[in-house]
């Protein structure tokens, strides 16, 4: 069978440089995409099954150590942020009906930015925090929009959303700081195994795509590529390398790497809104990701070899 050199391939992602919470979040997302693609499951068979089992084990051993992050305080702050985000969205939608052409144009720009940054209160903590931060940065970087907001009565809504998002991120960072240095050996072992199984899965998906051709796994590759791009943005914002031989696209290392920083959001594993991701907490190589029901989302967790409660 001829090799298709033009076949789509899943790009590399430096999972070894993720903190534990972020890795957990990412692995749960990957498992979700795998579970939704029967073709991929049929083609990968035991390789897929082994990865799913390993990811589930990592979730199980890591989850108990994150209970201190899933506090009433965080849930309350997230609820306040969600309400601020909804209020902002309603306000800019209403502003589109302004009879003033200038204000109407600015409102259209704001609605487009809201769509561009995919603000969704159902997103995992990590993704939601990061997307809100990036949208606000884009708005504040536009002098014309900032000058027009007060006259539209939208500046208070934006300020409220920004402060609620920063309050959540700060509390998550505080909670995460308390877990640094507590990664247990069992979590480290589970992490090493899931990294290995993930790399094997991605490598074999690319092999099947190259040798079978016909776009047989194109849909799975496309959704995975989009997810990897999202996580690369999160890591890049913290100055963490996102590619290389240790990456998910076929690297052979099980952990390590440069000192990883935690992505900017608390959140669930997979893309779910019930688990925190901590922004600003550097982790040692080998940290992980947050996950709903499985770990926090943005919380930074230390090196895979340490103890985590």
């Amino acid at each position: 069978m001829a090799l298709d050199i033009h076949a789509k391939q899943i790009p590399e992602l430096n999972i070894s440089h993720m903190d534990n919470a972020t890795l957990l979040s990412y692995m749960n997302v990957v498992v979700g995409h795998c579970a939704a693609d029967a073709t991929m499951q049929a083609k990968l068979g035991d390789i897929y099954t082994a990865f799913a089992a390993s990811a589930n084990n990592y979730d199980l051993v890591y989850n108990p150590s994150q209970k201190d992050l899933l506090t009433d305080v965080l849930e309350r702050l997230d609820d306040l942020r969600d309400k601020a985000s909804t209020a902002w969205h309603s306000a800019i939608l209403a502003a589109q009906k302004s009879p003033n052409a200038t204000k109407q144009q600015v409102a259209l720009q704001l609605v487009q930015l809201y769509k561009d940054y995919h603000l969704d209160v159902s997103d995992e903590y990590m993704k939601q925090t990061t997307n809100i931060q990036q949208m606000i940065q884009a708005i504040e970087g536009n002098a014309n929009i900032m000058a027009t907001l007060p006259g539209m009565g939208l500046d208070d809504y934006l300020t409220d959303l920004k402060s609620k998002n920063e309050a959540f991120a700060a509390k998550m960072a505080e909670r995460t700081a308390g877990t640094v240095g507590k990664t247990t050996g069992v979590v480290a072992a589970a992490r090493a195994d899931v990294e290995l199984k993930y790399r094997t899965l991605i490598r074999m998906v690319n092999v099947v795509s190259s040798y079978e051709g016909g776009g047989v796994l194109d849909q799975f590759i496309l959704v995975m590529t989009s997810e990897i791009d999202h996580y690369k943005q999160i890591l890049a914002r913290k100055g963490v390398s996102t590619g290389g031989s240790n990456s998910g696209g076929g690297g052979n290392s099980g952990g390590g790497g440069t000192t990883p920083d935690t992505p900017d959001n608390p959140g669930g594993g997979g893309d779910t809104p019930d688990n925190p991701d901590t922004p600003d907490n550097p982790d040692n190589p080998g940290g992980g990701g947050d996950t709903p029901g499985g770990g926090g989302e943005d919380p930074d967790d230390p090196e895979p070899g340490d103890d985590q409660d």
Side-chain angles (χ1 to χ4, degrees), residues 282-299:
D283 274 70
N284 285 332
D290 252 277
T291 269
E297 179 183 46
D298 225 6

Side-chain angles (χ1 to χ4, degrees), residues 38-237:
T39 301
M40 187 283 301
Q41 294 176 38
K43 293 294 181 182
L44 275 293
D46 291 344
I47 293 174
Y48 155 69
T49 302
F51 164 70
S54 181
N56 182 60
N57 180 60
Y58 182 52
D59 190 326
L60 289 175
V61 300
Y62 184 76
N63 184 34
S65 66
Q66 295 303 309
K67 288 180 180 177
D68 61 320
L69 297 177
L70 306 178
T71 63
D72 290 341
V73 173
L74 285 173
E75 290 180 2
R76 188 161 57 251
L77 289 174
D78 181 55
D79 182 58
L80 291 173
R81 176 177 64 178
D82 288 348
K83 290 177 179 176
S85 179
T86 299
W88 167 254
H89 191 208
S90 297
I92 59 178
L93 287 176
Q96 292 180 113
K97 300 176 183 178
S98 172
N100 180 291
T102 298
K103 293 179 179 179
Q104 185 181 92
Q105 183 57 41
V106 168
L108 290 171
Q109 289 179 269
L110 293 172
V111 169
Q112 187 58 52
L113 284 171
Y114 187 95
K115 293 177 181 178
D116 290 344
Y117 287 97
H118 308 291
L119 263 62
D120 186 342
V121 296
S122 68
D123 274 341
E124 57 176 335
Y125 286 165
M126 179 178 69
K127 183 176 288 187
Q128 189 179 355
T129 302
T130 301
N131 289 350
I132 290 175
Q133 288 174 334
Q134 293 179 339
M135 182 195 71
I136 292 176
Q137 287 173 1
I139 292 172
E140 293 179 336
N142 187 311
N144 179 56
I145 290 180
M146 291 302 291
T148 310
L149 285 183
M152 299 174 69
L154 295 177
D155 52 329
D156 287 342
Y157 288 98
L158 184 65
T159 299
D160 185 52
L161 176 58
K162 182 177 181 178
S163 65
K164 297 287 173 49
N165 196 50
E166 290 178 343
F168 182 91
K171 178 57 67 175
M172 181 51 61
E174 177 186 325
R175 296 301 188 202
T176 299
T179 68
V180 173
K182 298 181 180 179
T183 307
T184 64
V186 67
V187 172
R191 176 190 174 111
D193 186 66
V194 76
E195 285 193 17
L196 177 62
K197 297 296 195 305
Y198 168 80
R199 291 190 178 97
T200 300
L201 176 79
I202 299 305
R203 183 170 61 252
M204 293 311 298
V205 166
N206 288 340
V207 168
V208 171
S209 177
S210 296
Y211 280 89
E212 292 199 12
V216 63
L217 293 179
D218 279 6
Q219 183 57 37
F220 181 72
I221 292 173
L222 286 173
V223 296
M224 280 299 301
T225 298
S226 176
E227 206 62 63
I228 286 171
D229 286 344
H230 170 67
Y231 276 83
K232 280 186 175 182
Q233 289 175 16
I234 291 172
L235 295 177
R237 290 182 71 247

